[in-house]
């Protein structure tokens, strides 16, 4: 069965803490996506990766293909990082679809 | 560039009514898609299009219709609204299929069916 699971579902932390959000998938992948959904509802793509690690500002995404696991890290977290973080991966049998995780709701308190 | 635009932002319908959610993009993207987002669930694909004149069903197509007469526009039609279609709807576009290309999302339409 094609599945993408995220943990934790909810995460509350203090400003400045190092944040880790996890994504496990059962599908074979060409690339795994991380996206951010702002409290206002807008969705933006953060990363697309198929191996190793990518970094953008305070955000770092890693993937372990053998273990079928990806993590999104946020360093020096800030209240403006509060959002829902979503991972998604394509199933083996489709070039046009993604399997979506349910999202991790992150709240950073000042 | 405006990116991906959606109208309306909010809509309330009565059961049985029909309506069209509009989606347009100005990035010359071939791939466009419609998702619905319900509480506690991941995005679910309703319909997608890989180019003008070509559409296909996603995971939850029942009760919805689409067409793609131009590269820019991809409207979603609700044929006879039902309370189960109460949801937030997102349109997205990308250069190619989303497994390999970044998707750009519209701001969403919050639909309530009473």
């Amino acid at each position: 069965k094609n599945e993408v699971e995220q943990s934790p579902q909810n995460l509350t932390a203090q400003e400045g803490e190092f944040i880790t959000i996890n994504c496990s998938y059962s599908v074979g992948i060409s690339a795994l996506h991380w996206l951010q959904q702002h409290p206002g509802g807008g969705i933006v793509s953060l990363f697309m990766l198929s191996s190793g690690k990518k970094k953008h500002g305070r955000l770092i995404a890693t993937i372990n293909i053998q273990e079928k696991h990806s993590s999104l890290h946020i360093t020096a977290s800030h209240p403006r990082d509060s959002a829902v973080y979503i991972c998604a991966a394509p199933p083996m049998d489709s070039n046009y679809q993604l399997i979506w995780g349910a999202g991790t709701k992150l709240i950073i308190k000042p | 560039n405006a990116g991906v635009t959606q109208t309306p932002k909010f809509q309330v319908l009565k059961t049985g009514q029909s309506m069209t959610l509009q989606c347009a993009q100005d990035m010359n993207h071939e791939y466009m898609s419609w998702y619905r987002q319900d509480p506690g669930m991941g995005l679910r694909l309703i319909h997608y299009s890989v180019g003008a004149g070509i559409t296909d069903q996603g995971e939850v197509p029942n009760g919805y219709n689409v067409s793609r007469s131009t590269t820019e526009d991809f409207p979603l039609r609700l044929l006879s609204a039902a309370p189960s279609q109460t949801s937030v709807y997102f349109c997205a576009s990308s250069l190619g299929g989303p497994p390999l290309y970044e998707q750009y999302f519209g701001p969403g339409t919050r639909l309530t069916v009473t």
Side-chain angles (χ1 to χ4, degrees):
Chain A
K1 184 181 174 185
N2 293 327
E3 282 186 342
V4 172
E5 294 187 355
Q6 291 186 236
S7 63
Q9 280 187 309
N10 296 282
L11 179 57
T12 299
Q14 292 297 129
E15 182 173 356
E17 287 189 36
F18 182 82
I19 303 299
T20 296
I21 298 170
N22 297 299
C23 178
S24 296
Y25 53 92
S26 61
V27 298
I29 65 164
S30 47
L32 183 133
H33 298 250
W34 281 102
L35 303 96
Q36 180 192 56
Q37 185 169 24
H38 299 291
I43 301 173
V44 295
S45 178
L46 296 175
F47 296 104
M48 191 171 68
L49 69 166
S50 55
S51 64
K53 178 166 82 171
K54 286 193 175 181
K55 184 174 188 290
H56 186 257
R58 295 180 294 105
L59 271 59
I60 303 166
T62 64
I63 191 166
N64 184 317
I65 300 291
Q66 286 74 30
E67 294 186 5
K68 292 187 180 291
H69 181 268
S70 176
S71 293
L72 178 68
H73 306 286
I74 305 174
T75 62
S77 59
H78 189 276
R80 65 175 175 266
D81 297 324
S82 298
V84 175
Y85 292 86
I86 304 168
C87 70
M92 282 288 284
D93 56 352
S94 174
N95 292 326
Y96 300 114
Q97 300 193 32
L98 292 171
I99 307 295
W100 296 82
T104 294
K105 184 174 183 179
L106 173 66
I107 297 173
I108 303 295
K109 293 185 174 180
Chain B
N1 285 355
V4 181
T5 58
Q6 285 183 242
T7 56
K9 282 193 164 54
F10 301 94
Q11 183 71 49
V12 179
L13 289 178
K14 291 189 185 332
T15 298
Q17 287 184 317
S18 63
M19 78 158 296
T20 299
L21 306 185
Q22 300 292 345
C23 174
Q25 53 90 10
D26 61 0
M27 297 174 282
N28 203 30
H29 285 170
E30 289 296 324
Y31 182 95
M32 295 185 74
S33 55
W34 277 101
Y35 295 95
R36 59 178 289 172
Q37 186 178 42
D38 299 296
M41 301 180 71
L43 290 170
R44 290 187 292 169
L45 183 65
I46 304 171
H47 285 284
Y48 66 94
S49 169
V50 299
I54 306 169
T55 64
D56 207 346
Q57 295 181 350
E59 182 184 356
V60 289
N62 292 342
Y64 307 95
N65 205 355
V66 292
S67 60
R68 185 99 179 266
S69 56
T70 67
T71 299
E72 294 78 19
D73 299 299
F74 191 45
L76 177 73
R77 279 181 284 277
L78 278 70
L79 308 172
S80 178
S84 61
Q85 294 179 304
T86 294
S87 189
V88 181
Y89 291 84
F90 288 96
C91 178
S93 75
S94 54
L95 272 173
L100 294 178
Y101 292 90
E102 178 184 352
Q103 284 191 285
Y104 295 81
F105 285 81
T109 295
R110 187 173 293 274
L111 175 68
T112 302
V113 183
T114 60

